[in-house]
Amino acid sequence: MAAVARWWRAGLPGLLVLLLLRGARAEQTEEHLKREHSLTKPYQGVGSSSSSLWDLMGNAMVTTQYVRLTPDMQSKQGAVWNRVPCYLRDWEMQVHFKIHGQGKKNLNGDGFAIWYTKDRMQPGPVFGSKDHFLGLGVFVDTYPNEEKQQERVFPYISAMVNNGSLTYDHDRDGRPTELGGCTAMVRNLNHDTFLVIRYVKRRLTIMIDIDGKHEWRDCIDMPGVHLPRGYFFGTSSVTGDLSDNHDITSLKLYQLTVERSPEEEKRDKEVFLPVVDNMKLPGVEAPLEPMSGLALFLIVFFSLVALVFAIVIGVIVYNKWQEQSRKRFY
């Protein structure tokens, strides 16, 4: 497995490595690096040139070795966003990152997010970007806000799909709306740390390589994720009373060419709002199933029968009452 990871570092297609790790698959897949959606050294013109494909926001800064979203200072906020909307059907985003700082365990924060959203360059409270977003957010959260929770160890990686109506719950570390997650000890490491987000056939998969062993580890695997095309990639970070350096070494987006059967083509229809199959969203009631014609007829029929029965009973009771009244007069 270590050899497989070294092949990936050497440039072997990332998805092929993932397929090797998971075993042989029937589907045939090809991938191609999309430079218009990738951020790599030497970051030429990023944030300073009108011809650059990436914009900086807030306190983000470019060096020769990385893009620093936030420095290890309080109350900082920064982001880098791709200028080109992505219309790929299947894709894989490889993120090379580093989180480090002077703070001791649980005295650091707050983490960073990777985005695929309709809106870009919109500062806000969710790891430096706007709430009520449309699209996908993957969060590398380094500080536990929910004091009473015991079972979750931080740093923690989670994912959320939002249709614009949901709020990211900071007090509960995003639990009410998360698709899944995993613990990822990513701070102050002396080796490279990687995260891969893969979106193939409406399936969202997230894997991490953070242990310095050149091995991928599963984090999230969620089928039935429907994301519109034409959204933007970006990454953002924020610090508050606690802080860290949040550095991005590279973002590499690959176009995946996957064979589909006619049935899969029929199921993979274009969507215009992000949605996850069979997932009840907080505060959103499931729509009632429309009644069939037979069910509606039976409801009306039995309602009329009950009404007629009530009228007949009422007439009988009224006649009895009148009879009793006449007897009292005689």
Side-chain angles (χ1 to χ4, degrees), residues 124-138:
V126 185
F127 295 92
S129 193
K130 67 171 288 187
D131 204 351
H132 300 285
F133 58 90
L134 278 163
L136 168 70
V138 176

Side-chain angles (χ1 to χ4, degrees), residues 223-238:
V225 176
H226 301 264
L227 298 175
R229 290 192 255 185
Y231 284 10
F232 295 91
F233 286 103
T235 179
S236 66
S237 179
V238 68

Side-chain angles (χ1 to χ4, degrees), residues 27-285:
E27 63 190 40
Q28 296 295 317
T29 305
E30 296 180 0
E31 72 169 22
H32 307 280
L33 178 67
K34 305 300 288 184
R35 298 190 182 280
E36 66 268 32
H37 300 300
S38 297
L39 177 69
T40 57
K41 298 177 186 177
Y43 318 114
Q44 189 170 1
V46 172
S48 60
S49 170
S50 59
S51 61
S52 172
L53 298 174
W54 294 83
D55 285 322
L56 294 183
M57 184 175 73
N59 302 112
M61 60 176 290
V62 179
T63 74
T64 57
Q65 298 300 314
Y66 51 78
V67 175
R68 176 156 290 171
L69 301 177
T70 62
D72 189 5
M73 299 172 64
Q74 295 179 336
S75 303
K76 299 297 180 181
Q77 179 173 298
V80 58
W81 282 93
N82 193 200
R83 289 180 177 177
V84 183
C86 178
Y87 289 94
L88 302 181
R89 193 177 190 181
D90 304 286
W91 48 264
E92 175 183 289
M93 174 63 82
Q94 299 175 5
V95 184
H96 182 186
F97 68 95
K98 186 175 183 65
I99 302 176
H100 57 108
Q102 299 298 316
K104 296 181 179 179
K105 185 178 180 181
N106 291 337
L107 291 175
N108 56 275
D110 286 325
F112 75 100
I114 304 125
W115 301 101
Y116 174 69
T117 57
K118 182 178 181 179
D119 298 314
R120 61 186 291 273
M121 301 291 287
Q122 303 263 338
V126 185
F127 295 92
S129 193
K130 67 171 288 187
D131 204 351
H132 300 285
F133 58 90
L134 278 163
L136 168 70
V138 176
F139 311 121
V140 182
D141 191 351
T142 58
Y143 182 76
N145 291 294
E146 188 173 5
E147 296 179 359
K148 294 182 180 180
Q149 72 87 23
Q150 299 292 334
E151 72 279 6
R152 181 168 293 187
V153 178
F154 281 72
Y156 193 85
I157 296 175
S158 64
M160 173 182 175
V161 169
N162 199 345
N163 60 7
S165 69
L166 304 178
T167 296
Y168 179 84
D169 189 341
H170 277 282
D171 293 337
R172 299 184 61 191
D173 301 308
R175 289 191 188 208
T177 52
E178 72 176 30
L179 300 180
C182 64
T183 292
M185 309 306 289
V186 293
R187 286 193 72 245
N188 289 337
L189 300 178
N190 294 322
H191 52 263
D192 292 333
T193 47
F194 298 88
L195 180 152
V196 168
I197 306 167
R198 186 160 54 108
Y199 182 63
V200 178
K201 292 185 177 181
R202 307 300 188 190
R203 190 179 200 98
L204 178 69
T205 304
I206 297 176
M207 301 181 73
I208 53 177
D209 175 6
I210 61 172
D211 299 319
K213 298 179 180 179
H214 308 297
E215 295 178 357
W216 289 108
R217 176 153 56 91
D218 291 334
C219 183
I220 298 171
D221 186 17
M222 176 64 65
V225 176
H226 301 264
L227 298 175
R229 290 192 255 185
Y231 284 10
F232 295 91
F233 286 103
T235 179
S236 66
S237 179
V238 68
T239 64
D241 293 335
L242 303 174
S243 63
D244 257 336
N245 297 302
H246 299 94
D247 299 338
I248 301 296
T249 304
S250 67
L251 300 171
K252 294 181 180 179
L253 187 80
Y254 291 88
Q255 178 181 7
L256 307 181
T257 305
V258 183
E259 290 186 356
R260 282 176 168 81
S261 66
E263 292 76 15
E264 288 173 328
E265 287 287 355
K266 190 180 295 185
R267 287 198 304 267
D268 262 4
K269 294 180 180 178
E270 189 74 15
V271 296
F272 300 98
L273 273 180
V275 67
V276 180
D277 290 344
N278 304 317
M279 183 176 181
K280 187 178 184 301
L281 300 177
V284 178
E285 294 297 328

Side-chain angles (χ1 to χ4, degrees), residues 272-303:
F272 300 98
L273 273 180
V275 67
V276 180
D277 290 344
N278 304 317
M279 183 176 181
K280 187 178 184 301
L281 300 177
V284 178
E285 294 297 328
L288 296 176
E289 290 287 331
M291 286 187 292
S292 66
L294 177 60
L296 186 59
F297 168 77
L298 291 175
I299 289 173
V300 172
F301 175 76
F302 284 112
S303 298

